[in-house]
Structure formats: structure tokens, C-alpha cells
Amino acid sequence: KAGVTQTPRYLIKTRGQQVTLSCSPISGHRSVSWYQQTPGQGLQFLFEYFSETQRNKGNFPGRFSGRQFSNSRSEMNVSTLELGDSALYLCASLLSTGNTEAFFGQGTRLTVV
Amino acid sequence: EDQVTQSPEALRLQEGESSSLNCSYTVSGLRGLFWYRQDPGKGPEFLFTLYSAGEEKEKERLKATLTKKESFLHITAPKPEDSATYLCAVRMNYGGSQGNLIFGKGTKLSVKP
């Protein structure tokens, strides 16, 4: 059974650029959540998607956005990158309903220079 | 404010020396408490879910317990391969959605041979 796939694994971008990260959830899972992990703040919730709809959003600026496609794959976009956006971005895959476990991908390491 | 606090921040053990990690939480409407293990540069790996006070789960050398205000992760006779950061997360009731996971900062465990 394939796990959660995140691409790319590593990215280096320049301040002011934008970036798109991709996440393919576990087959049959319809909910995807995104988290940002930094040494200082730990893991912080960005947003949650289910059936192509954003169901929940964390306390991040509007530069952070996301979407989900009909095949449950999800992308997140960060525009006008800042140095402080350097982090490990993690995608979590969940079954469609119920209080279920979140399974994480390996993450995308974004470095903004 | 809802929050999750893990202690200690770091723990160094000798191989075979049992100990416990603590996760205390102040949230309303707890729907579940989750333990994860994270190795450097990787995404969190799911370990346990606990739903109600008094519940216990075991897996190999790990045992997780839950009370109304905290959870413990007991590690019995640890081995060097148990070295990792252990993360605790809680999920609250949130209008029927999966909500988001609120993570603690983690306990970094080092087990020396």
C-alpha cells in the first residue's frame, strides 16, 4: 500500500518568488491537511481539504493557499516568499470521515534565500 | 488558549533504562490524542491514538496512556533505534470536520548503547 507522496523533497527559492508543493494522499483517503514545521514553532496547521473544499484554515497569511483536485491530490502555494517561510512542509492524509489518524508524508524542505 | 505541552524537551537514556514522556493538554472538546515518532529529516510516523481517559495502547517497547489532562508514553528497556523525537498532538471538536491537530514541541529522545 503506497504511502503519502510529497514532491519535490527539496526546494531552494529566492525571496519574492512563489512556490507550489504537491501531495498525493494514500489511495482511498479523501482528506488532506498541510502543516508547516520549523525549529522554533514546531508543527503548525495550515489548512485542510476534503472533496476539493477547504474545510479548515490555520492562522497563516493569505500568501499561503491550497487546493485539492477530484483525485484527492492536493497542492499548496506560497506567493511572495519570505526568509521566514523556510521550513519543512508536511502533508497528512486522512480517511474521508470520522475521527481518524493522520498519516504524514516525508515533507518538502523549502529554503528561501 | 488551547495548547499542548510536552516534557522533558530532551531525554538521554542508557540502553535498557526505562522512562516516561509526558504530554499535558488544555483543550476543550478533545476528540483524540495522537502520538507520533519523527526521525531527522522525515515526516512524523503514526504510533497511537487514544480517545478516552483510562485508555492504554501498546506497541513493542512503547505504551501510551491517557488521563483527563495528560498522556504518558512509557518506554520500556529502550534500544538505540528508539532514538527520535516523539510528538504528541490533540484534535478538538470542530464543527464536524477533522479539525486540525495541535502539536506539542516534542521530546527528543537519545538512547545510548
Side-chain angles (χ1 to χ4, degrees):
Chain A
K1 181 177 180 181
V4 182
T5 302
Q6 290 190 245
T7 56
R9 289 294 312 279
Y10 303 94
L11 266 179
I12 300 176
K13 290 286 188 179
T14 305
R15 273 182 302 173
Q17 288 186 313
Q18 74 166 13
V19 67
T20 299
L21 312 181
S22 178
C23 171
S24 293
I26 294 169
S27 178
H29 286 198
R30 295 172 59 193
S31 180
V32 172
S33 296
W34 288 89
Y35 292 81
Q36 180 195 66
Q37 186 175 30
T38 59
Q41 299 298 318
L43 275 111
Q44 293 186 290
F45 172 75
L46 282 159
F47 24 67
E48 173 197 0
Y49 287 89
F50 172 71
S51 290
E52 303 177 64
T53 302
Q54 186 180 93
R55 300 191 64 173
N56 197 357
K57 190 177 191 302
N59 189 25
F60 278 82
R63 300 184 297 105
F64 292 82
S65 63
R67 59 178 175 169
Q68 187 181 33
F69 302 95
S70 58
N71 62 358
S72 296
R73 189 177 71 86
S74 178
E75 290 181 348
M76 67 163 283
N77 183 277
V78 187
S79 62
T80 319
L81 284 165
E82 301 177 359
L83 295 179
D85 297 333
S86 295
L88 181 66
Y89 289 88
L90 292 159
C91 165
S93 169
L94 302 93
L95 278 173
S96 57
T97 59
N99 190 15
T100 59
E101 296 83 7
F103 296 95
F104 285 84
Q106 298 285 51
T108 294
R109 170 71 64 184
L110 172 65
T111 302
V112 182
V113 297
Chain B
E1 181 181 332
D2 298 318
Q3 63 177 12
V4 179
T5 304
Q6 290 187 246
S7 62
E9 290 185 15
L11 181 62
R12 298 168 69 95
L13 299 174
Q14 287 297 126
E15 184 172 2
E17 180 186 1
S18 301
S19 189
S20 296
L21 314 182
N22 177 262
C23 171
S24 62
Y25 57 92
T26 54
V27 298
S28 56
L30 179 74
R31 291 179 66 193
L33 185 141
F34 305 83
W35 282 98
Y36 288 86
R37 168 194 169 126
Q38 187 174 28
D39 293 300
K42 296 189 175 182
E45 174 190 348
F46 171 76
L47 293 173
F48 302 109
T49 308
L50 301 166
Y51 293 108
S52 56
E55 190 173 359
E56 298 183 351
K57 294 274 181 73
E58 279 189 76
K59 179 181 179 180
E60 296 180 356
R61 295 177 293 282
L62 301 176
K63 178 180 177 180
T65 62
L66 180 65
T67 71
K68 287 190 176 181
K69 291 297 181 185
E70 59 189 355
S71 176
F72 292 93
L73 184 65
H74 307 278
I75 304 177
T76 302
K79 298 181 178 181
E81 54 262 42
D82 294 323
S83 297
T85 296
Y86 291 85
L87 298 166
C88 167
V90 299
R91 174 184 286 145
M92 302 179 297
N93 284 315
Y94 191 83
S97 81
Q98 297 277 11
N100 70 82
L101 295 177
I102 303 173
F103 279 86
K105 295 290 178 68
T107 293
K108 185 174 182 180
L109 174 66
S110 298
V111 182
K112 301 301 181 185

